Amino acid sequence: MQAEHYLQEMADTHPFDKQALRKRLRTARREHVAAQPDSTRALLFHRPPAPLLAKIGPEAVIGLYHANAEEAPAANYARFFQEAGHRIVLPYFSAPDAPMTFRTHDDPHGESDLEAGPFNLRQPASDAPELAPDVLFVPLIGFTADLDRLGQGGGHYDRWLAEHPGRMAIGLAWDAQAVEALPTEPHDIALDAVVTPTRIYGLG
């Protein structure tokens, strides 16, 4: 059974079991990434697609994330936006139970300004200036064509977006992470778009 069919069966059979669904989606994502040759993966998410760039103003502060080995990579986007003159920020946590903020990331090419943070994340140093993004690219575990997102479960992005209305939120994902439906709760905030290696969802 192909991974996406298995995942959809999981979503349909256990619509409110988010932890079980996350486990299945993580497995599918890991298998999807492992099946890609390194040479192919290096070419993906090279630069934001033109329809998305048309929605982003020249002065926008761009929020990105430092991807782990299985997440859709965001490093090339950081380099692209910095070269285009945008300020780049990444999530920052002063402690595991602290709220997520964003601090400036000035070296997307060498990443010399990043250090180890909670959740096995690389993040800006504690003395990097804090700055809120206007456009926020977010990682995810699963998504739907209706732009519902399943995250890691900490709720950090939903809380931040709820506290900062009007920001554009865009998911980066592998195609294998798409499912027909996801369990949602009132505090879940839908994305404005999702970008995969083959298509853009949203921005209609």
Side-chain angles (χ1 to χ4, degrees):
M1 182 181 294
Q2 294 187 355
E4 51 268 30
H5 293 165
Y6 186 64
L7 291 172
Q8 192 55 54
E9 180 180 287
M10 186 67 192
D12 293 340
T13 305
H14 304 281
F16 300 107
D17 192 345
K18 282 191 173 183
Q19 289 305 319
L21 184 55
R22 285 188 180 96
K23 182 177 180 180
R24 303 297 184 184
L25 282 163
R26 288 190 183 103
T27 297
R29 182 178 64 181
R30 182 165 54 252
E31 293 173 351
H32 178 79
V33 172
Q36 295 175 348
D38 291 343
S39 57
T40 298
R41 193 163 58 249
L43 297 175
L44 302 177
F45 299 101
H46 183 66
R47 60 172 288 163
L52 177 58
L53 291 176
K55 302 281 188 178
I56 298 175
E59 302 298 322
V61 176
I62 307 297
L64 288 154
Y65 59 91
H66 193 274
N68 63 33
E70 297 169 2
E71 291 173 332
N76 284 333
Y77 277 32
R79 296 168 191 139
F80 173 89
F81 280 115
Q82 188 194 53
E83 291 171 2
H86 294 271
R87 289 169 293 176
I88 307 301
V89 296
L90 298 184
Y92 174 84
F93 296 89
S94 60
D97 58 348
M100 181 177 71
T101 59
F102 288 86
R103 293 183 183 272
T104 55
H105 176 34
D106 293 327
D107 185 21
H109 287 275
E111 298 185 349
S112 62
D113 60 336
L114 302 184
E115 60 184 28
F119 314 114
N120 295 317
L121 295 176
R122 298 274 291 167
Q123 64 179 26
S126 59
D127 60 351
E130 185 174 330
L131 188 62
D134 302 301
V135 178
L136 181 56
F137 290 86
V138 304
L140 52 84
I141 295 177
F143 73 95
T144 71
D146 292 330
L147 304 178
D148 291 325
R149 168 185 176 267
L150 183 68
Q152 295 284 358
H156 302 293
Y157 282 95
D158 285 323
R159 284 194 292 273
W160 192 90
L161 288 167
E163 294 168 0
H164 299 80
R167 313 301 167 116
M168 183 185 298
I170 303 153
L172 295 183
W174 305 110
D175 292 288
Q177 293 176 261
V179 294
E180 290 186 11
L182 286 171
T184 59
E185 300 177 64
H187 63 265
D188 293 330
I189 296 179
L191 300 169
D192 295 292
V194 175
V195 177
T196 76
T198 66
R199 64 178 293 184
I200 305 172
Y201 297 81
L203 296 183

PDB file of all heavy atoms in Angstrom, residues 97-131:
ATOM      1  N   ASP A  97       9.641  25.617  27.530  1.00  0.00           N
ATOM      2  CA  ASP A  97       8.276  26.037  27.859  1.00  0.00           C
ATOM      3  C   ASP A  97       8.036  27.518  27.597  1.00  0.00           C
ATOM      4  O   ASP A  97       6.993  28.059  27.973  1.00  0.00           O
ATOM      5  CB  ASP A  97       7.966  25.711  29.320  1.00  0.00           C
ATOM      6  CG  ASP A  97       8.934  26.379  30.298  1.00  0.00           C
ATOM      7  OD1 ASP A  97       9.973  26.914  29.838  1.00  0.00           O
ATOM      8  OD2 ASP A  97       8.660  26.348  31.510  1.00  0.00           O
ATOM      9  N   ALA A  98       8.974  28.174  26.948  1.00  0.00           N
ATOM     10  CA  ALA A  98       8.832  29.601  26.653  1.00  0.00           C
ATOM     11  C   ALA A  98       8.063  29.796  25.347  1.00  0.00           C
ATOM     12  O   ALA A  98       8.057  28.923  24.481  1.00  0.00           O
ATOM     13  CB  ALA A  98      10.209  30.251  26.540  1.00  0.00           C
ATOM     14  N   PRO A  99       7.393  30.933  25.195  1.00  0.00           N
ATOM     15  CA  PRO A  99       6.698  31.195  23.925  1.00  0.00           C
ATOM     16  C   PRO A  99       7.691  31.361  22.782  1.00  0.00           C
ATOM     17  O   PRO A  99       8.838  31.764  22.978  1.00  0.00           O
ATOM     18  CB  PRO A  99       5.937  32.497  24.203  1.00  0.00           C
ATOM     19  CG  PRO A  99       6.689  33.150  25.317  1.00  0.00           C
ATOM     20  CD  PRO A  99       7.228  32.029  26.166  1.00  0.00           C
ATOM     21  N   MET A 100       7.240  31.046  21.592  1.00  0.00           N
ATOM     22  CA  MET A 100       8.073  31.217  20.399  1.00  0.00           C
ATOM     23  C   MET A 100       8.114  32.684  20.007  1.00  0.00           C
ATOM     24  O   MET A 100       7.078  33.347  19.915  1.00  0.00           O
ATOM     25  CB  MET A 100       7.515  30.379  19.249  1.00  0.00           C
ATOM     26  CG  MET A 100       8.327  30.473  17.957  1.00  0.00           C
ATOM     27  SD  MET A 100       7.695  29.386  16.632  1.00  0.00           S
ATOM     28  CE  MET A 100       6.160  30.239  16.203  1.00  0.00           C
ATOM     29  N   THR A 101       9.299  33.186  19.801  1.00  0.00           N
ATOM     30  CA  THR A 101       9.498  34.511  19.233  1.00  0.00           C
ATOM     31  C   THR A 101      10.360  34.346  17.985  1.00  0.00           C
ATOM     32  O   THR A 101      10.713  33.233  17.595  1.00  0.00           O
ATOM     33  CB  THR A 101      10.170  35.468  20.228  1.00  0.00           C
ATOM     34  OG1 THR A 101      11.455  34.927  20.615  1.00  0.00           O
ATOM     35  CG2 THR A 101       9.313  35.642  21.487  1.00  0.00           C
ATOM     36  N   PHE A 102      10.704  35.456  17.352  1.00  0.00           N
ATOM     37  CA  PHE A 102      11.554  35.394  16.166  1.00  0.00           C
ATOM     38  C   PHE A 102      12.716  36.362  16.334  1.00  0.00           C
ATOM     39  O   PHE A 102      12.542  37.497  16.782  1.00  0.00           O
ATOM     40  CB  PHE A 102      10.750  35.729  14.909  1.00  0.00           C
ATOM     41  CG  PHE A 102       9.789  34.654  14.512  1.00  0.00           C
ATOM     42  CD1 PHE A 102       8.513  34.616  15.062  1.00  0.00           C
ATOM     43  CD2 PHE A 102      10.166  33.657  13.634  1.00  0.00           C
ATOM     44  CE1 PHE A 102       7.622  33.608  14.730  1.00  0.00           C
ATOM     45  CE2 PHE A 102       9.278  32.647  13.292  1.00  0.00           C
ATOM     46  CZ  PHE A 102       8.004  32.617  13.842  1.00  0.00           C
ATOM     47  N   ARG A 103      13.894  35.882  15.950  1.00  0.00           N
ATOM     48  CA  ARG A 103      15.094  36.713  16.001  1.00  0.00           C
ATOM     49  C   ARG A 103      15.797  36.674  14.655  1.00  0.00           C
ATOM     50  O   ARG A 103      15.662  35.726  13.893  1.00  0.00           O
ATOM     51  CB  ARG A 103      16.031  36.253  17.131  1.00  0.00           C
ATOM     52  CG  ARG A 103      15.427  36.491  18.527  1.00  0.00           C
ATOM     53  CD  ARG A 103      16.376  36.100  19.645  1.00  0.00           C
ATOM     54  NE  ARG A 103      15.752  36.267  20.945  1.00  0.00           N
ATOM     55  CZ  ARG A 103      15.770  37.388  21.654  1.00  0.00           C
ATOM     56  NH1 ARG A 103      16.412  38.446  21.173  1.00  0.00           N
ATOM     57  NH2 ARG A 103      15.177  37.453  22.823  1.00  0.00           N
ATOM     58  N   THR A 104      16.563  37.719  14.380  1.00  0.00           N
ATOM     59  CA  THR A 104      17.151  37.888  13.061  1.00  0.00           C
ATOM     60  C   THR A 104      18.212  36.831  12.770  1.00  0.00           C
ATOM     61  O   THR A 104      18.961  36.400  13.650  1.00  0.00           O
ATOM     62  CB  THR A 104      17.765  39.288  12.909  1.00  0.00           C
ATOM     63  OG1 THR A 104      18.708  39.503  13.968  1.00  0.00           O
ATOM     64  CG2 THR A 104      16.688  40.354  12.972  1.00  0.00           C
ATOM     65  N   HIS A 105      18.250  36.439  11.506  1.00  0.00           N
ATOM     66  CA  HIS A 105      19.201  35.450  10.992  1.00  0.00           C
ATOM     67  C   HIS A 105      19.955  36.135   9.862  1.00  0.00           C
ATOM     68  O   HIS A 105      19.437  36.303   8.766  1.00  0.00           O
ATOM     69  CB  HIS A 105      18.426  34.225  10.505  1.00  0.00           C
ATOM     70  CG  HIS A 105      19.256  33.173   9.856  1.00  0.00           C
ATOM     71  ND1 HIS A 105      20.538  32.873  10.232  1.00  0.00           N
ATOM     72  CD2 HIS A 105      18.958  32.322   8.815  1.00  0.00           C
ATOM     73  CE1 HIS A 105      20.998  31.885   9.493  1.00  0.00           C
ATOM     74  NE2 HIS A 105      20.064  31.540   8.626  1.00  0.00           N
ATOM     75  N   ASP A 106      21.196  36.555  10.143  1.00  0.00           N
ATOM     76  CA  ASP A 106      21.944  37.390   9.209  1.00  0.00           C
ATOM     77  C   ASP A 106      22.892  36.620   8.302  1.00  0.00           C
ATOM     78  O   ASP A 106      23.474  37.205   7.394  1.00  0.00           O
ATOM     79  CB  ASP A 106      22.753  38.436   9.989  1.00  0.00           C
ATOM     80  CG  ASP A 106      21.867  39.444  10.699  1.00  0.00           C
ATOM     81  OD1 ASP A 106      20.790  39.760  10.156  1.00  0.00           O
ATOM     82  OD2 ASP A 106      22.244  39.905  11.797  1.00  0.00           O
ATOM     83  N   ASP A 107      23.078  35.331   8.549  1.00  0.00           N
ATOM     84  CA  ASP A 107      24.050  34.571   7.768  1.00  0.00           C
ATOM     85  C   ASP A 107      23.430  33.279   7.230  1.00  0.00           C
ATOM     86  O   ASP A 107      23.818  32.175   7.627  1.00  0.00           O
ATOM     87  CB  ASP A 107      25.283  34.248   8.621  1.00  0.00           C
ATOM     88  CG  ASP A 107      26.382  33.556   7.825  1.00  0.00           C
ATOM     89  OD1 ASP A 107      26.388  33.666   6.584  1.00  0.00           O
ATOM     90  OD2 ASP A 107      27.219  32.880   8.455  1.00  0.00           O
ATOM     91  N   PRO A 108      22.459  33.389   6.318  1.00  0.00           N
ATOM     92  CA  PRO A 108      21.841  32.171   5.793  1.00  0.00           C
ATOM     93  C   PRO A 108      22.771  31.320   4.940  1.00  0.00           C
ATOM     94  O   PRO A 108      22.495  30.140   4.719  1.00  0.00           O
ATOM     95  CB  PRO A 108      20.656  32.690   4.970  1.00  0.00           C
ATOM     96  CG  PRO A 108      21.004  34.091   4.650  1.00  0.00           C
ATOM     97  CD  PRO A 108      21.816  34.601   5.790  1.00  0.00           C
ATOM     98  N   HIS A 109      23.880  31.893   4.467  1.00  0.00           N
ATOM     99  CA  HIS A 109      24.822  31.108   3.668  1.00  0.00           C
ATOM    100  C   HIS A 109      25.726  30.252   4.563  1.00  0.00           C
ATOM    101  O   HIS A 109      25.903  29.063   4.309  1.00  0.00           O
ATOM    102  CB  HIS A 109      25.655  32.023   2.776  1.00  0.00           C
ATOM    103  CG  HIS A 109      24.882  32.587   1.622  1.00  0.00           C
ATOM    104  ND1 HIS A 109      24.713  31.917   0.427  1.00  0.00           N
ATOM    105  CD2 HIS A 109      24.206  33.759   1.493  1.00  0.00           C
ATOM    106  CE1 HIS A 109      23.980  32.647  -0.392  1.00  0.00           C
ATOM    107  NE2 HIS A 109      23.655  33.770   0.224  1.00  0.00           N
ATOM    108  N   GLY A 110      26.283  30.837   5.597  1.00  0.00           N
ATOM    109  CA  GLY A 110      27.187  30.084   6.466  1.00  0.00           C
ATOM    110  C   GLY A 110      26.574  29.604   7.763  1.00  0.00           C
ATOM    111  O   GLY A 110      27.131  28.731   8.430  1.00  0.00           O
ATOM    112  N   GLU A 111      25.434  30.197   8.142  1.00  0.00           N
ATOM    113  CA  GLU A 111      24.722  29.862   9.383  1.00  0.00           C
ATOM    114  C   GLU A 111      25.621  30.001  10.617  1.00  0.00           C
ATOM    115  O   GLU A 111      25.451  29.304  11.613  1.00  0.00           O
ATOM    116  CB  GLU A 111      24.131  28.455   9.310  1.00  0.00           C
ATOM    117  CG  GLU A 111      23.110  28.305   8.194  1.00  0.00           C
ATOM    118  CD  GLU A 111      22.416  26.951   8.183  1.00  0.00           C
ATOM    119  OE1 GLU A 111      22.868  26.040   8.915  1.00  0.00           O
ATOM    120  OE2 GLU A 111      21.421  26.805   7.446  1.00  0.00           O
ATOM    121  N   SER A 112      26.563  30.938  10.541  1.00  0.00           N
ATOM    122  CA  SER A 112      27.475  31.140  11.663  1.00  0.00           C
ATOM    123  C   SER A 112      26.809  31.805  12.854  1.00  0.00           C
ATOM    124  O   SER A 112      27.360  31.809  13.960  1.00  0.00           O
ATOM    125  CB  SER A 112      28.671  31.997  11.216  1.00  0.00           C
ATOM    126  OG  SER A 112      28.220  33.290  10.789  1.00  0.00           O
ATOM    127  N   ASP A 113      25.625  32.371  12.648  1.00  0.00           N
ATOM    128  CA  ASP A 113      24.937  33.078  13.721  1.00  0.00           C
ATOM    129  C   ASP A 113      23.905  32.199  14.435  1.00  0.00           C
ATOM    130  O   ASP A 113      23.124  32.701  15.245  1.00  0.00           O
ATOM    131  CB  ASP A 113      24.260  34.334  13.189  1.00  0.00           C
ATOM    132  CG  ASP A 113      23.226  34.046  12.102  1.00  0.00           C
ATOM    133  OD1 ASP A 113      23.332  32.989  11.443  1.00  0.00           O
ATOM    134  OD2 ASP A 113      22.309  34.863  11.903  1.00  0.00           O
ATOM    135  N   LEU A 114      23.885  30.897  14.162  1.00  0.00           N
ATOM    136  CA  LEU A 114      22.931  29.995  14.796  1.00  0.00           C
ATOM    137  C   LEU A 114      23.604  29.170  15.888  1.00  0.00           C
ATOM    138  O   LEU A 114      24.800  28.902  15.836  1.00  0.00           O
ATOM    139  CB  LEU A 114      22.310  29.054  13.751  1.00  0.00           C
ATOM    140  CG  LEU A 114      21.571  29.712  12.581  1.00  0.00           C
ATOM    141  CD1 LEU A 114      20.942  28.648  11.707  1.00  0.00           C
ATOM    142  CD2 LEU A 114      20.533  30.700  13.087  1.00  0.00           C
ATOM    143  N   GLU A 115      22.793  28.783  16.866  1.00  0.00           N
ATOM    144  CA  GLU A 115      23.286  27.952  17.966  1.00  0.00           C
ATOM    145  C   GLU A 115      22.215  26.926  18.325  1.00  0.00           C
ATOM    146  O   GLU A 115      21.082  26.995  17.860  1.00  0.00           O
ATOM    147  CB  GLU A 115      23.617  28.825  19.183  1.00  0.00           C
ATOM    148  CG  GLU A 115      22.433  29.610  19.711  1.00  0.00           C
ATOM    149  CD  GLU A 115      22.808  30.545  20.851  1.00  0.00           C
ATOM    150  OE1 GLU A 115      23.968  31.006  20.911  1.00  0.00           O
ATOM    151  OE2 GLU A 115      21.915  30.812  21.687  1.00  0.00           O
ATOM    152  N   ALA A 116      22.592  25.966  19.136  1.00  0.00           N
ATOM    153  CA  ALA A 116      21.655  24.922  19.547  1.00  0.00           C
ATOM    154  C   ALA A 116      20.589  25.503  20.460  1.00  0.00           C
ATOM    155  O   ALA A 116      20.876  26.316  21.344  1.00  0.00           O
ATOM    156  CB  ALA A 116      22.399  23.800  20.260  1.00  0.00           C
ATOM    157  N   GLY A 117      19.338  25.105  20.226  1.00  0.00           N
ATOM    158  CA  GLY A 117      18.228  25.540  21.054  1.00  0.00           C
ATOM    159  C   GLY A 117      17.374  24.370  21.480  1.00  0.00           C
ATOM    160  O   GLY A 117      17.702  23.203  21.199  1.00  0.00           O
ATOM    161  N   PRO A 118      16.279  24.617  22.179  1.00  0.00           N
ATOM    162  CA  PRO A 118      15.369  23.544  22.572  1.00  0.00           C
ATOM    163  C   PRO A 118      14.804  22.799  21.352  1.00  0.00           C
ATOM    164  O   PRO A 118      14.836  23.315  20.238  1.00  0.00           O
ATOM    165  CB  PRO A 118      14.261  24.285  23.332  1.00  0.00           C
ATOM    166  CG  PRO A 118      14.886  25.568  23.774  1.00  0.00           C
ATOM    167  CD  PRO A 118      15.848  25.927  22.691  1.00  0.00           C
ATOM    168  N   PHE A 119      14.307  21.605  21.593  1.00  0.00           N
ATOM    169  CA  PHE A 119      13.663  20.775  20.569  1.00  0.00           C
ATOM    170  C   PHE A 119      14.632  20.363  19.463  1.00  0.00           C
ATOM    171  O   PHE A 119      14.230  20.095  18.333  1.00  0.00           O
ATOM    172  CB  PHE A 119      12.456  21.505  19.953  1.00  0.00           C
ATOM    173  CG  PHE A 119      11.543  22.156  20.946  1.00  0.00           C
ATOM    174  CD1 PHE A 119      11.409  23.531  20.989  1.00  0.00           C
ATOM    175  CD2 PHE A 119      10.828  21.387  21.857  1.00  0.00           C
ATOM    176  CE1 PHE A 119      10.567  24.146  21.910  1.00  0.00           C
ATOM    177  CE2 PHE A 119       9.981  21.991  22.779  1.00  0.00           C
ATOM    178  CZ  PHE A 119       9.852  23.365  22.810  1.00  0.00           C
ATOM    179  N   ASN A 120      15.937  20.329  19.773  1.00  0.00           N
ATOM    180  CA  ASN A 120      16.955  19.970  18.782  1.00  0.00           C
ATOM    181  C   ASN A 120      16.948  20.906  17.576  1.00  0.00           C
ATOM    182  O   ASN A 120      17.233  20.499  16.443  1.00  0.00           O
ATOM    183  CB  ASN A 120      16.761  18.524  18.310  1.00  0.00           C
ATOM    184  CG  ASN A 120      16.984  17.520  19.420  1.00  0.00           C
ATOM    185  OD1 ASN A 120      17.934  17.646  20.203  1.00  0.00           O
ATOM    186  ND2 ASN A 120      16.113  16.519  19.517  1.00  0.00           N
ATOM    187  N   LEU A 121      16.613  22.159  17.831  1.00  0.00           N
ATOM    188  CA  LEU A 121      16.564  23.160  16.774  1.00  0.00           C
ATOM    189  C   LEU A 121      17.838  23.991  16.763  1.00  0.00           C
ATOM    190  O   LEU A 121      18.476  24.200  17.801  1.00  0.00           O
ATOM    191  CB  LEU A 121      15.374  24.100  16.972  1.00  0.00           C
ATOM    192  CG  LEU A 121      13.974  23.506  16.874  1.00  0.00           C
ATOM    193  CD1 LEU A 121      12.937  24.571  17.188  1.00  0.00           C
ATOM    194  CD2 LEU A 121      13.736  22.920  15.487  1.00  0.00           C
ATOM    195  N   ARG A 122      18.192  24.475  15.586  1.00  0.00           N
ATOM    196  CA  ARG A 122      19.204  25.509  15.461  1.00  0.00           C
ATOM    197  C   ARG A 122      18.462  26.837  15.400  1.00  0.00           C
ATOM    198  O   ARG A 122      17.488  26.989  14.659  1.00  0.00           O
ATOM    199  CB  ARG A 122      20.026  25.298  14.200  1.00  0.00           C
ATOM    200  CG  ARG A 122      20.797  23.993  14.169  1.00  0.00           C
ATOM    201  CD  ARG A 122      22.139  24.116  14.845  1.00  0.00           C
ATOM    202  NE  ARG A 122      23.027  24.966  14.077  1.00  0.00           N
ATOM    203  CZ  ARG A 122      24.194  25.459  14.548  1.00  0.00           C
ATOM    204  NH1 ARG A 122      24.565  25.195  15.791  1.00  0.00           N
ATOM    205  NH2 ARG A 122      24.964  26.209  13.791  1.00  0.00           N
ATOM    206  N   GLN A 123      18.902  27.790  16.204  1.00  0.00           N
ATOM    207  CA  GLN A 123      18.188  29.060  16.292  1.00  0.00           C
ATOM    208  C   GLN A 123      19.176  30.212  16.443  1.00  0.00           C
ATOM    209  O   GLN A 123      20.351  29.997  16.768  1.00  0.00           O
ATOM    210  CB  GLN A 123      17.229  29.039  17.480  1.00  0.00           C
ATOM    211  CG  GLN A 123      17.897  28.908  18.832  1.00  0.00           C
ATOM    212  CD  GLN A 123      16.890  28.913  19.978  1.00  0.00           C
ATOM    213  OE1 GLN A 123      15.734  28.547  19.815  1.00  0.00           O
ATOM    214  NE2 GLN A 123      17.331  29.323  21.162  1.00  0.00           N
ATOM    215  N   PRO A 124      18.715  31.441  16.200  1.00  0.00           N
ATOM    216  CA  PRO A 124      19.602  32.589  16.392  1.00  0.00           C
ATOM    217  C   PRO A 124      20.063  32.705  17.843  1.00  0.00           C
ATOM    218  O   PRO A 124      19.436  32.173  18.762  1.00  0.00           O
ATOM    219  CB  PRO A 124      18.719  33.780  15.993  1.00  0.00           C
ATOM    220  CG  PRO A 124      17.684  33.193  15.093  1.00  0.00           C
ATOM    221  CD  PRO A 124      17.418  31.824  15.640  1.00  0.00           C
ATOM    222  N   ALA A 125      21.153  33.408  18.028  1.00  0.00           N
ATOM    223  CA  ALA A 125      21.683  33.626  19.372  1.00  0.00           C
ATOM    224  C   ALA A 125      20.730  34.492  20.191  1.00  0.00           C
ATOM    225  O   ALA A 125      19.907  35.239  19.652  1.00  0.00           O
ATOM    226  CB  ALA A 125      23.058  34.286  19.289  1.00  0.00           C
ATOM    227  N   SER A 126      20.866  34.406  21.503  1.00  0.00           N
ATOM    228  CA  SER A 126      19.962  35.130  22.404  1.00  0.00           C
ATOM    229  C   SER A 126      20.099  36.644  22.289  1.00  0.00           C
ATOM    230  O   SER A 126      19.183  37.376  22.670  1.00  0.00           O
ATOM    231  CB  SER A 126      20.213  34.700  23.848  1.00  0.00           C
ATOM    232  OG  SER A 126      21.558  34.953  24.224  1.00  0.00           O
ATOM    233  N   ASP A 127      21.234  37.117  21.778  1.00  0.00           N
ATOM    234  CA  ASP A 127      21.405  38.566  21.637  1.00  0.00           C
ATOM    235  C   ASP A 127      21.042  39.066  20.237  1.00  0.00           C
ATOM    236  O   ASP A 127      21.199  40.255  19.949  1.00  0.00           O
ATOM    237  CB  ASP A 127      22.840  38.963  21.984  1.00  0.00           C
ATOM    238  CG  ASP A 127      23.880  38.294  21.093  1.00  0.00           C
ATOM    239  OD1 ASP A 127      23.510  37.394  20.316  1.00  0.00           O
ATOM    240  OD2 ASP A 127      25.076  38.666  21.191  1.00  0.00           O
ATOM    241  N   ALA A 128      20.545  38.180  19.369  1.00  0.00           N
ATOM    242  CA  ALA A 128      20.098  38.627  18.053  1.00  0.00           C
ATOM    243  C   ALA A 128      18.825  39.455  18.214  1.00  0.00           C
ATOM    244  O   ALA A 128      17.972  39.144  19.059  1.00  0.00           O
ATOM    245  CB  ALA A 128      19.842  37.438  17.143  1.00  0.00           C
ATOM    246  N   PRO A 129      18.654  40.503  17.445  1.00  0.00           N
ATOM    247  CA  PRO A 129      17.468  41.351  17.587  1.00  0.00           C
ATOM    248  C   PRO A 129      16.179  40.572  17.346  1.00  0.00           C
ATOM    249  O   PRO A 129      16.094  39.753  16.431  1.00  0.00           O
ATOM    250  CB  PRO A 129      17.661  42.421  16.506  1.00  0.00           C
ATOM    251  CG  PRO A 129      19.140  42.453  16.270  1.00  0.00           C
ATOM    252  CD  PRO A 129      19.611  41.046  16.455  1.00  0.00           C
ATOM    253  N   GLU A 130      15.177  40.843  18.189  1.00  0.00           N
ATOM    254  CA  GLU A 130      13.865  40.225  18.012  1.00  0.00           C
ATOM    255  C   GLU A 130      13.070  41.031  16.999  1.00  0.00           C
ATOM    256  O   GLU A 130      13.049  42.261  17.040  1.00  0.00           O
ATOM    257  CB  GLU A 130      13.132  40.172  19.351  1.00  0.00           C
ATOM    258  CG  GLU A 130      11.798  39.446  19.295  1.00  0.00           C
ATOM    259  CD  GLU A 130      11.167  39.279  20.664  1.00  0.00           C
ATOM    260  OE1 GLU A 130      11.915  39.180  21.659  1.00  0.00           O
ATOM    261  OE2 GLU A 130       9.918  39.273  20.741  1.00  0.00           O
ATOM    262  N   LEU A 131      12.397  40.329  16.085  1.00  0.00           N
ATOM    263  CA  LEU A 131      11.669  40.999  15.017  1.00  0.00           C
ATOM    264  C   LEU A 131      10.548  40.081  14.543  1.00  0.00           C
ATOM    265  O   LEU A 131      10.765  38.887  14.318  1.00  0.00           O
ATOM    266  CB  LEU A 131      12.616  41.313  13.857  1.00  0.00           C
ATOM    267  CG  LEU A 131      12.097  42.176  12.710  1.00  0.00           C
ATOM    268  CD1 LEU A 131      11.722  43.566  13.210  1.00  0.00           C
ATOM    269  CD2 LEU A 131      13.150  42.271  11.612  1.00  0.00           C
TER     270      LEU A 131
END
